[in-house]
Each structure stands twice: as structure tokens, then as C-alpha cells.
Amino acid sequence: MMTEISLYDAHDPWVTINAMHRQQGDELLALTGFRDQKIKAHWLLADGSIAREQVRCSSDRFMTLTTILPEVAWDEREIYDLFGYTPIAHPDLRPLLRTQRWPDDFYPLRAAMPDRPLWRDGEPDQAMKVVQGEGIVIMKVGPTHAGIIESGHFVFSVMGENILCLDAHLFQKHRGIEALLQGKSFPAIQPMIARLCGSDSVSHQYNLLQSIEQVTDRHVSEVVQYRRILVAESERILSHLNDLAQIPAGVGFAVAHQKGLALKELWQRGMAVIFGHRFLFDAMYGEVFTQEDKLHFLSLITSFEALWAKWVKLTEKNVAFHDRMRGVGKVTRQDAKQLGAVGVARRATGEKSDMRKYMPLYQVVDFTVATALGGDVEARFQVRLLEVESSLSILRQTLARMGDPSKEEPFVVPSDLTGETVTFSESPHGLNVHVIQWLDGKIDRYHIRSGSYRNWPVLAKAVEGNVVADFPLINKSFELCYSCTDR
Amino acid sequence: MDKKMKSLQLRHVDAGSCNACEQELTALLGKDYDVSRYGIEFVASPRHADALIVTGSVSDTMKPALVRVFEAVSTPKGLIVIGDCALGCGVDRRAYASHGGVQHVVQPDLSVAGCPPTPQEIVKRLQEYMDKHTTV
Ligand code: SF4
């Protein structure tokens, strides 16, 4: 596909209005395509309110925003792949999710309920972006890997030992979940949303709950709100423990890796007892929290903290470990901003960006946003360490304030439920946004822009100039999820 | 004479999971479960493997890779599927780009249900598998 750079119009109102938001320092929540030819951009403003900008495609075309907002490069390619709406003058319109196996006329999100197409035979190969020149070697890895890892295909352009460019071909696991949700009711999609991703499940569940509560104006009791904080911070700890245990594995620090996994196991067993699931699937939907649960939780925290302190010491005093992390996989503050980095990756460049500060749920607890300087593997490791500790403190604060369980009125979703919401939360992997349209009690459109989705292009940037052998380490320091990216 | 399997070398393929099944497989290598003491190991190449261990409902893009990796395992070989998605009863089985379970692509020899199955359950079923199968 040739791009029509010459057709770019910087004065297109769609471009100027979104450029203004960026200049104001607003945070882009999502860029979403709809079946009625509309594209909407939702922006979070400094005061916590959400602005919605929209454009209607004319003959299936709209002006690209990638030129002024590099972070939407993938979103626009996705809209092109799934709806067939062309972003005019997009600098790189290679297929993102589509493969050569897709029938030409198959644009799944154009239909309310797309059928399974007749896939073509053959390999799903896609066009690669590589650097050419004398001495440059192209190294392809995946989609399947030599360990227990999610599937993704990576194309490295390498010179000597150095990575010049990484072209990440994700979406190997694209299943078509957004379309699957269409036409379904709230109870039917609850388990699906909880299983979008094993590491940020709670955050996805919470976004769905917020949507239903915004549209129906339902208010839940204080106890239930506190319980939600407990579930959300439990997930942050669980997910960070997983990622913290993986980083030492990336440099062969086996003791810290093994002991890290043991900490995670301890936490998961506690989660199974208190919330009924080792990964907190469906746990956010629950509303019951008994006195016994509270006691279990307090004793879990106490036994966890003793082992945690030892683990932190083990990693702190290992100079070689810190030496291996320092300066590796560096993301500058400017790149983080430009590419729309979120979560730990962004805070590790010194920016105090944490969506919990915008979430009413968290107004009742005290915590400071953890940051580190350096933007490297060490900084991302450090931010997670601090966040586990602040989450433990939030848990203790919440448990101390939690009153007796109240009896919630059984909630019935009205059958005429209609409306559009944009809900977000700070998942363990950063800002996670759901754009949801309800029509007569059913999902009309559901778009998921997860923290991992935003950070993949940041990871690709972070590995440039590093040695190939450090890719696993850098990759683990982001530990991004493929599942909720690919959907 | 045929003997019971004393070791089981597995190569993992994620064919579209939510990654919780992977995390439970990773837990098997931690000291709490430590499957290496039963001779169970995860190996880097399908050429080294006795069986493939698959998670996820099989996305269309992963289908050719899954088939190819299974072909690369030398015979006799096994196929083990982990989790409801891989078993064909997962939440995304009806999505347009999901093949709705591994059995539609290759026939499994062992299926471990659960969403995700617990590490205890996986260990138990793998041991049973080893007891039932023989080495040549
Ligand atoms: S079976 Fe459950 S845990 Fe396993 S991949 Fe599917 S949704 Fe995830």
C-alpha cells in the first residue's frame, strides 16, 4: 500500500482539534471506530473530565492523526484492518492484524455480528519493516517461542550484536473478541471481560462495572467500594510480583527468580481463599466481604511482608544485578510522551502519571505516585518495588476503615439500557480504557485499549541500540500482555 | 520391553490464551511445585520434545504455526491441551478468528480442564499421563 503523504492536510479540523488537546497536555484515552462511519477520540482533561471529538469518514476515509500523534499509529492501522476506513496519509499502513489468510472483503467490525470467514490457505505472513545495508542481518523470532511465553513474532534488524530496529508483529492471537461481545448482555460478557488478560483482569472487570453503573446511575455502598480497592490493589501486587520475579530470570539471577515466584505463589493462594480465584477472575464483580475474609487478608499481608522484606534485601544488595539493569532498555522522557507510554514504563521516566489519582474510588486512601529516573530496566524494576509497598499500605488502610458488610440490593440490568461510556482504570500495566456502547440492554460496540497495547511501540523503541542478548531482559522489564493487545 | 515414562519433555505453544494458563505452567517450575523432580521439563525445541503442550482456543493466525510445530515433534508424540480455551469450551470459542479449540486442528491425547487449571491439577494429570504411556 502506497501512502499518500502529499494528501496530508494539517488544517483539517479533525487534525487541529486533536492537536490542540495534545498541546494542552491532555491524555488520549482511546481512538475508536464505529460501524456508522464515525471515528471518536476521547481525551482526559486536566480537571478529570472527558472530552469527545469525532469525525465522520467521507467515502470510508479520514485524515490521519499519526503525523501529530505518533501514539495512534497502531489504532489507525487497526481501524483500517477491521473497518476498512482509510486514514489518509498514514505513514505506515501495513496490515496490523489482517493476514494473507483473511478474505479480501472481510471487515469484521462493519457487521453487527460477523460470521467466521472462510480463511484462505497458506501462511499468515505480513510485510516486514527492516533496515537494509551492508552487514545488517535480519533475525526473525517466533511466533512460537522456546519457553513458556505468549505468542508474538519479532523481526530484528541487527548489526553485529546491536539491534537497529525491532518490528513487532503482534496480533498473532487475534481472536475477534470485540466483535464477539456485540449483541450480548451484561451477564453474558462478564466472564469474557474478566478473561481478556490474565495479568490485568481486575482492571478490565472494573471498567465494565463502571460503565454499567454510569449508564444506570447505580451507586454501590461504601463497603463494596472498599472491597473494589482491595481487589484492584491485590491484582497490582500479584501482577507486579510476577513481573518482578521475571526480571532476575532475564539475567540469570536464579535465586531471586525462584524466591520471587514463591512470593507470587503465596499471594495467589491467599487470593484463592479470600476472593475465590488465583487470578481474581470475576472477583471484582462480587460484593460480599465477611469479617472472616478480613482476618484472612490481614494474616496474608503479615506473612507476605516478612518474606517480601527479605526478597527486597536480596535484590538490593546484589550489585551485579543492578549493574546489569542500569542503562539497559532506556526510554527517554520525551519518547515516552511521544509514543504515549503508560503505567510503570512512563513513571520510570520520572513522570507522575497514575490514573488512580483521577479515579473517585481512590480519593479515600493516601498514597504517593511512585516514580524513578533513568527510564531503564532498573527504573522499571524500582517503580514496581515501590508500588508493591504502596499497594500493601493501601490494603491496610482500606481494611482498617472497612465497616461491617452491608446487604446490597440485588441489581437487575434494565432491559432498555442504552448509552455510551468511556471508562478507565490504572491496570498493573498502565492506563486501560474501555469505550462501550449499549443499545437496548445489549452491547452495540465495545472497544478495549489496554495498557499493554500502548506500551508495545515503546518497548520496540527501548530495544534500539541494545545488544540482542538483552532483549529478554528488556522485554521482561515491560512484561506486556499479548492477549489484551491482540484481543 | 516397554517401560513407563520416566521423563516427559514438553514444548509449549500458546495458540491464543489469556496468559493465565501460561502463568500456571510457569508456576510448575517454581519451588512450590518443582516438576523437574518428576522428570518433567519444558524444552526449547519441538525436536527435543515428547509432547506438545498447548494453551488457547487457536487463533487463525496461530493455526499454521501450531500445525508446523506439532509436525516438528518426532514420533511417537503426544499432544496435551491445558485450559478450557484449548479444550474448546473457553469464553472466546465463538469469536470469528478463533478455531474454537485445539481438537479442531489436531487431536489431543490429554486434556486438562479449568480456567486456568491449578498447578496441582496439571501436575497430577501429567503424572497420570506418564504412568499410562510407555517408552520404546
Ligand atoms: S482457559 Fe481460562 S485461563 Fe486458560 S487461557 Fe482460557 S481464559 Fe485464560
Side-chain angles (χ1 to χ4, degrees):
Chain A
M1 169 91 205
M2 287 291 289
T3 50
E4 307 148 300
I5 302 283
S6 56
L7 292 177
Y8 183 63
D9 177 7
H11 301 293
D12 186 293
W14 173 240
V15 175
T16 52
I17 187 82
N18 286 296
M20 178 209 79
H21 281 296
R22 173 39 43 97
Q23 254 162 21
Q24 265 173 214
D26 301 340
E27 179 91 37
L28 180 70
L29 293 173
L31 186 76
T32 313
F34 292 84
R35 284 202 298 287
D36 60 2
Q37 300 264 321
K38 281 199 191 111
I39 316 267
K40 295 180 190 170
H42 291 98
W43 291 89
L44 179 67
L45 313 185
D47 64 2
S49 63
I50 295 174
R52 186 184 74 183
E53 307 300 344
Q54 59 177 27
V55 67
R56 184 180 269 284
C57 297
S58 107
S59 334
D60 283 349
R61 290 149 69 86
F62 64 102
M63 193 58 67
T64 185
L65 296 179
T66 297
T67 317
I68 52 152
L69 273 178
E71 65 173 283
V72 300
W74 277 20
D75 303 71
E76 291 189 337
R77 284 167 71 184
E78 181 175 322
I79 290 170
Y80 179 59
D81 280 359
L82 299 180
F83 288 94
Y85 306 155
T86 311
I88 302 166
H90 190 291
D92 174 15
L93 208 47
R94 288 173 300 146
L96 185 73
L97 313 91
R98 285 187 95 81
T99 72
Q100 296 180 22
R101 294 171 53 85
W102 291 41
D104 284 341
D105 55 355
F106 182 60
Y107 289 97
L109 291 185
R110 283 197 163 210
M113 290 203 221
D115 290 327
R116 248 182 216 151
L118 264 182
W119 303 107
R120 291 189 182 137
D121 284 338
E123 294 299 321
D125 294 356
Q126 290 163 320
M128 305 181 289
K129 187 172 89 187
V130 295
V131 182
Q132 282 169 332
E134 210 185 304
I136 297 172
V137 175
I138 307 304
M139 192 176 91
K140 298 205 245 171
V141 183
T144 71
H145 301 287
I148 307 170
I149 315 172
E150 287 187 85
S151 292
H153 180 53
F154 299 102
V155 181
F156 295 94
S157 301
V158 180
M159 183 142 181
E161 297 207 30
N162 293 332
I163 301 168
L164 300 178
C165 167
L166 163 60
D167 188 20
H169 292 214
L170 296 166
F171 306 97
Q172 305 288 324
K173 306 184 0 164
H174 177 66
R175 289 144 285 162
I177 292 180
E178 291 188 1
L180 178 69
L181 299 169
Q182 288 169 194
K184 296 203 168 50
S185 66
F186 174 61
I189 66 168
Q190 281 179 292
M192 296 174 176
I193 295 301
R195 285 156 186 79
L196 275 171
C197 159
S199 31
D200 298 343
S201 166
V202 165
S203 159
H204 290 300
Q205 295 171 51
Y206 183 62
N207 284 357
L208 171 61
L209 279 180
Q210 273 181 289
S211 169
I212 208 91
E213 283 159 20
Q214 280 177 21
V215 184
T216 58
D217 234 353
R218 179 186 187 218
H219 293 279
V220 295
S221 70
E222 204 176 43
V223 185
V224 173
Q225 307 243 26
Y226 282 145
R227 186 184 175 282
R228 289 180 179 177
I229 300 180
L230 296 180
V231 183
E233 294 313 300
S234 293
E235 171 172 83
R236 196 173 321 281
I237 293 175
L238 171 60
S239 192
H240 279 5
L241 285 174
N242 178 70
D243 302 357
L244 284 166
Q246 292 304 333
I247 295 173
V251 300
F253 187 5
V255 190
H257 170 58
Q258 280 292 336
K259 293 198 166 173
L261 283 181
L263 277 171
K264 179 187 172 198
E265 180 65 26
L266 172 73
W267 195 255
Q268 281 191 292
R269 289 183 186 182
M271 293 300 107
V273 172
I274 303 161
F275 296 115
H277 198 278
R278 283 168 58 87
F279 291 89
L280 298 162
F281 286 180
D282 305 317
M284 198 61 154
Y285 305 139
E287 301 191 336
V288 182
F289 194 78
T290 62
Q291 204 55 36
E292 200 188 342
D293 293 331
K294 190 173 180 173
L295 295 176
H296 274 310
F297 215 147
L298 285 168
S299 90
L300 171 67
I301 295 174
T302 309
S303 44
F304 175 82
E305 278 176 338
L307 292 172
W308 166 253
K310 283 192 194 160
W311 189 83
V312 172
K313 217 182 214 150
L314 173 74
T315 61
E316 255 169 12
K317 67 173 195 226
N318 193 317
V319 183
F321 176 48
H322 283 267
D323 229 33
R324 279 293 283 113
M325 294 193 290
R326 199 164 305 139
V328 177
K330 216 169 151 62
V331 182
T332 65
R333 205 164 170 168
Q334 201 192 348
D335 281 344
K337 247 207 169 107
Q338 271 244 321
L339 295 171
V342 293
V344 171
R346 172 117 146 237
R347 292 191 286 280
T349 66
E351 247 202 78
K352 272 194 168 333
S353 153
D354 188 321
M355 290 302 134
R356 285 179 290 177
K357 290 291 178 196
Y358 290 99
M359 295 165 67
L361 190 62
Y362 284 89
Q363 301 314 311
V364 293
V365 287
D366 248 357
F367 72 101
T368 40
V369 175
T371 56
L373 296 169
D376 52 4
V377 173
E378 188 182 33
R380 289 185 286 276
F381 183 83
Q382 198 58 36
V383 170
R384 286 198 185 86
L385 274 189
L386 295 169
E387 289 186 358
V388 168
E389 303 201 336
S390 92
S391 291
L392 287 167
S393 141
I394 295 175
L395 289 176
R396 280 198 186 279
Q397 291 175 46
T398 311
L399 285 166
R401 286 193 194 183
M402 223 163 159
D404 288 333
S406 59
K407 186 100 187 75
E408 287 292 309
E409 290 291 314
F411 176 60
V412 186
V413 183
S415 59
D416 59 347
L417 185 81
T418 297
E420 182 180 304
T421 62
V422 181
T423 52
F424 63 87
S425 46
E426 180 73 34
S427 79
H429 293 89
L431 169 60
N432 174 21
V433 182
H434 290 194
V435 178
I436 309 174
Q437 256 184 356
W438 298 94
L439 183 66
D440 297 330
K442 302 276 161 63
I443 294 292
D444 197 42
R445 170 83 175 103
Y446 203 126
H447 178 52
I448 300 142
R449 200 179 191 244
S450 70
S452 292
Y453 187 98
R454 296 145 190 277
N455 278 343
W456 274 108
V458 184
L459 165 63
K461 181 85 194 159
V463 300
E464 280 177 15
N466 287 266
V467 292
V468 178
D470 274 344
F471 176 69
L473 175 63
I474 301 168
N475 195 14
K476 285 172 199 300
S477 77
F478 284 86
E479 197 69 7
L480 303 177
C481 172
Y482 301 62
S483 176
C484 56
T485 301
D486 298 359
R487 290 154 292 142
Chain B
M1 211 187 80
D2 286 350
K3 288 195 200 111
K4 273 187 189 173
M5 283 181 112
K6 281 196 182 140
S7 71
L8 177 61
Q9 308 219 309
L10 300 166
R11 155 80 185 212
H12 166 250
V13 171
D14 159 22
S17 81
C18 79
N19 91 35
C21 275
E22 271 70 33
Q23 292 190 48
E24 295 298 46
L25 290 178
T26 304
L28 300 182
L29 308 176
K31 72 176 177 65
D32 290 282
Y33 302 101
D34 188 20
V35 290
S36 62
R37 56 196 162 132
Y38 310 122
I40 301 169
E41 245 186 297
F42 284 83
V43 294
S45 163
R47 300 277 187 214
H48 304 155
D50 301 309
L52 211 60
I53 191 159
V54 184
T55 55
S57 68
V58 190
S59 66
D60 183 66
T61 310
M62 280 308 294
K63 185 181 163 185
L66 172 63
V67 171
R68 246 191 346 265
V69 176
F70 189 58
E71 276 167 5
V73 181
S74 58
T75 10
K77 58 183 156 191
L79 186 79
I80 298 169
V81 295
I82 300 288
D84 290 351
C85 288
L87 266 70
C89 47
V91 285
D92 61 15
R93 67 187 183 282
R94 295 216 168 82
Y96 62 79
S98 160
H99 287 276
V102 176
Q103 80 274 16
H104 299 297
V105 183
V106 252
Q107 264 319 304
D109 303 298
L110 170 69
S111 305
V112 186
C115 182
T118 60
Q120 285 97 328
E121 174 71 7
I122 303 173
V123 177
K124 189 177 123 225
R125 301 296 305 282
L126 289 179
Q127 285 184 289
E128 286 168 10
Y129 177 89
M130 290 169 74
D131 287 344
K132 257 202 296 199
H133 286 73
T134 51
T135 46
V136 252

